[in-house]
Amino acid sequence: MSPKSRLLLPVLSLLVLTLACALPSTPEPSDAIATHVAQTLAAVGGGPSSTPEPDQPTDVPATAEPPTPTPTPIPLHIVYVSDGNVYLWIEGGSPTPVTSTGDAEDIKISDDGQVIAFARQVDDTHEELWAVNSDGTNLRNLVNAADFDAMATDPDALTTNLAEFDWVPGTHTLAFNIHPIYEGPGYFVYNDLRLVDADTAAQTLLLPEGQGGRFHYSPDGSQLAVVTSEQISILNADGSNRRDVLSFPIILTYSEYIFYPQPVWTPDGNALRIVIPPHDSLVDPKPPSAVWHIPADGSAPTKLLDVVTIPFFVDVPALSPDAQKIAYLQAVTPGDDMNRELHLVNADGSEDTMYDTGNIRFEAWSPPAEHFIYSQNGENPKVGQLGTSPAPIGGASQIRDVTWIRDNEYLYLNRESGSWELWYGSLGGFNSLIDSSSGVLISYDFTP
């Protein structure tokens, strides 16, 4: 995420958005669902066009090359899971059911809006990876429970499940990695990387166990950063030309999970930047987090700055999507991590500004890093901008999972009177309720 993405790793509880009307639980989407989605797509300009092609000019020489068509931008597509089913909301339309299996969890939509991938919980220990076309047709299994069983390498593990999955930019190929399932507590990733073609279901082991990790593709999909608990590497997207660019001490979590720092690619794909918390965030005096600039060509990384923050497991310093700014929280009084200062600083360490104080939780940067959303630990959310006073997000009481989708627009979950609401907000003050439920939301995603 930016998603779609917001998280104390997969050990945190997932949120599930439950609709008031329940759908029948069947293994395939019904004809009614597919027809409903097709009608919605046609109404908002998505899907196959029924408009006849205009006549071709008759005076074009037979040898002339046809003009290259200009791609038509697709309207915003938002997908989400409610009551175990996949729903699609297209800008200008209403939510439409896409599946009726009743067991969907995490979800991702391809860049072209044509394919939706989602995890299905098939029993207490097994997940599967599935896909469906956004018009509700061709529900298909990509990686089944037997496939995941066969991937297990630890004899003490019951099986393996998805750790994370996402689309390779601009393709219908999904990248994913796995983690073992044990009877007791404990969570770690096998540090592999696998691919599956969502059109053909063909699987590929790109990086074997120990060679992969948490994965982050460059904006054009040509390069790949893999992150483990102690190292960052950059590779070509086909797995070649590996550059091990930065090593660091493992970061103590004081819990059963392992922490993986999250890099941000620069928009041109020539470098990435990353915040590395200290080895131990609880010692006094508190050691700083380090901000690194890592060239993609494998040349030596540069430390941009050190900054002392509250412990990373309370709030991780947030790089903006363009990798130019950092938001971090610092205790007003040493030892009191509940009363915090919100600082905004350029990634090179210049122009550090204290913006607000309180029990602050930083939520998300806008893409150009001009605006940001923060809250008082989830309550009273506000939109901030350097040099101006923050503006409350009207009607939001307990905000979660904020994601900016455009320069001036964002998505968020809101807890209101016992219900969860999925909202589409804008800087102009126009907020639109997409859906609401008394349940818990698991996942949402959107086309870029």
Side-chain angles (χ1 to χ4, degrees), residues 179-201:
H179 71 96
I181 299 295
Y182 298 104
E183 289 186 355
Y187 184 94
F188 71 93
V189 177
Y190 269 132
N191 289 339
D192 58 352
L193 183 58
R194 300 166 184 268
L195 306 175
V196 59
D197 188 314
D199 297 326
T200 67

Side-chain angles (χ1 to χ4, degrees), residues 152-417:
T153 60
D154 186 344
D156 295 326
L158 300 176
T159 184
T160 60
N161 273 343
L162 284 167
E164 61 178 342
F165 68 96
D166 207 348
W167 296 100
V168 178
T171 75
H172 284 181
T173 297
L174 284 160
F176 69 98
N177 51 26
I178 57 176
H179 71 96
I181 299 295
Y182 298 104
E183 289 186 355
Y187 184 94
F188 71 93
V189 177
Y190 269 132
N191 289 339
D192 58 352
L193 183 58
R194 300 166 184 268
L195 306 175
V196 59
D197 188 314
D199 297 326
T200 67
Q203 297 182 36
T204 303
L205 176 60
L206 184 67
L207 299 174
E209 181 180 341
Q211 297 299 307
R214 298 286 186 179
F215 57 90
H216 306 268
Y217 282 91
S218 62
D220 65 0
S222 65
Q223 298 184 87
L224 172 68
V226 291
V227 180
T228 71
S229 58
E230 300 175 84
Q231 182 173 278
I232 302 169
S233 303
I234 300 176
L235 305 88
N236 295 348
D238 62 4
S240 63
N241 190 24
R242 184 184 189 97
R243 292 90 81 195
D244 296 329
V245 291
L246 183 67
S247 297
F248 51 89
I250 193 168
I251 296 158
L252 299 179
T253 64
Y254 293 93
S255 187
E256 72 277 6
Y257 73 95
I258 296 174
F259 180 77
Y260 291 73
Q262 183 167 332
V264 174
W265 283 92
T266 56
D268 59 13
N270 290 333
L272 52 84
R273 288 175 173 174
I274 193 167
V275 179
I276 307 292
H279 167 66
D280 188 346
S281 296
L282 297 183
V283 299
D284 287 317
K286 290 190 182 300
S289 295
V291 182
W292 290 89
H293 176 88
I294 304 174
D297 61 8
S299 55
T302 303
K303 184 191 288 189
L304 298 178
L305 75 153
D306 285 320
V307 59
V308 176
T309 74
I310 64 174
F312 76 92
F313 42 78
V314 178
D315 199 276
V316 179
L319 276 159
S320 60
D322 62 3
Q324 296 302 308
K325 294 183 182 296
I326 299 166
Y328 71 92
L329 301 179
Q330 196 170 70
V332 174
T333 303
D336 180 9
D337 293 329
M338 302 300 290
N339 189 20
R340 310 158 187 168
E341 297 176 343
L342 170 59
H343 285 252
L344 310 169
V345 60
N346 292 333
D348 63 5
S350 63
E351 300 181 19
D352 191 323
T353 302
M354 195 279 287
Y355 186 81
D356 203 349
T357 60
N359 188 15
I360 291 174
R361 186 176 74 199
F362 189 83
E363 303 290 349
W365 284 102
S366 68
E370 293 180 2
H371 296 86
F372 48 90
I373 294 175
Y374 68 101
S375 67
Q376 297 291 328
N377 200 28
E379 299 181 351
N380 303 316
K382 301 172 183 178
V383 176
Q385 182 181 22
L386 278 173
T388 66
S389 299
I393 296 177
S397 55
Q398 294 183 13
I399 199 167
R400 296 288 187 278
D401 288 348
V402 180
T403 305
W404 288 81
I405 54 178
R406 293 170 178 158
D407 291 359
N408 300 318
E409 298 165 357
Y410 47 88
L411 296 173
Y412 62 93
L413 303 180
N414 181 52
R415 185 73 167 172
E416 184 66 42
S417 300

Side-chain angles (χ1 to χ4, degrees), residues 24-236:
S25 180
T26 59
E28 296 287 340
S30 66
D31 292 340
I33 289 179
T35 301
H36 189 183
V37 177
Q39 291 171 342
T40 301
L41 289 168
V44 298
S49 172
S50 60
T51 305
E53 300 250 345
D55 293 336
Q56 297 294 323
T58 58
D59 56 350
V60 177
T63 57
E65 290 290 332
T68 301
T70 301
T72 302
I74 64 171
L76 174 67
H77 289 48
I78 299 171
V79 292
Y80 60 94
V81 173
S82 175
D83 197 24
N85 296 310
V86 174
Y87 287 81
L88 171 67
W89 180 90
I90 300 178
E91 194 170 11
S94 301
T96 303
V98 179
T99 72
S100 56
T101 62
D103 54 9
E105 296 185 324
D106 199 12
I107 191 169
K108 301 288 182 181
I109 187 169
S110 59
D111 291 349
D112 61 7
Q114 296 300 306
V115 185
I116 302 166
F118 60 98
R120 292 177 66 177
Q121 185 73 44
V122 297
D123 60 37
D124 290 342
T125 58
H126 287 90
E127 289 178 329
E128 294 184 338
L129 184 57
W130 286 66
V132 63
N133 294 346
S134 58
D135 63 3
T137 61
N138 195 17
L139 177 68
R140 65 262 194 199
N141 178 240
L142 302 179
V143 187
N144 60 37
D147 293 331
F148 283 115
D149 283 341
M151 296 173 190
T153 60
D154 186 344
D156 295 326
L158 300 176
T159 184
T160 60
N161 273 343
L162 284 167
E164 61 178 342
F165 68 96
D166 207 348
W167 296 100
V168 178
T171 75
H172 284 181
T173 297
L174 284 160
F176 69 98
N177 51 26
I178 57 176
H179 71 96
I181 299 295
Y182 298 104
E183 289 186 355
Y187 184 94
F188 71 93
V189 177
Y190 269 132
N191 289 339
D192 58 352
L193 183 58
R194 300 166 184 268
L195 306 175
V196 59
D197 188 314
D199 297 326
T200 67
Q203 297 182 36
T204 303
L205 176 60
L206 184 67
L207 299 174
E209 181 180 341
Q211 297 299 307
R214 298 286 186 179
F215 57 90
H216 306 268
Y217 282 91
S218 62
D220 65 0
S222 65
Q223 298 184 87
L224 172 68
V226 291
V227 180
T228 71
S229 58
E230 300 175 84
Q231 182 173 278
I232 302 169
S233 303
I234 300 176
L235 305 88
N236 295 348

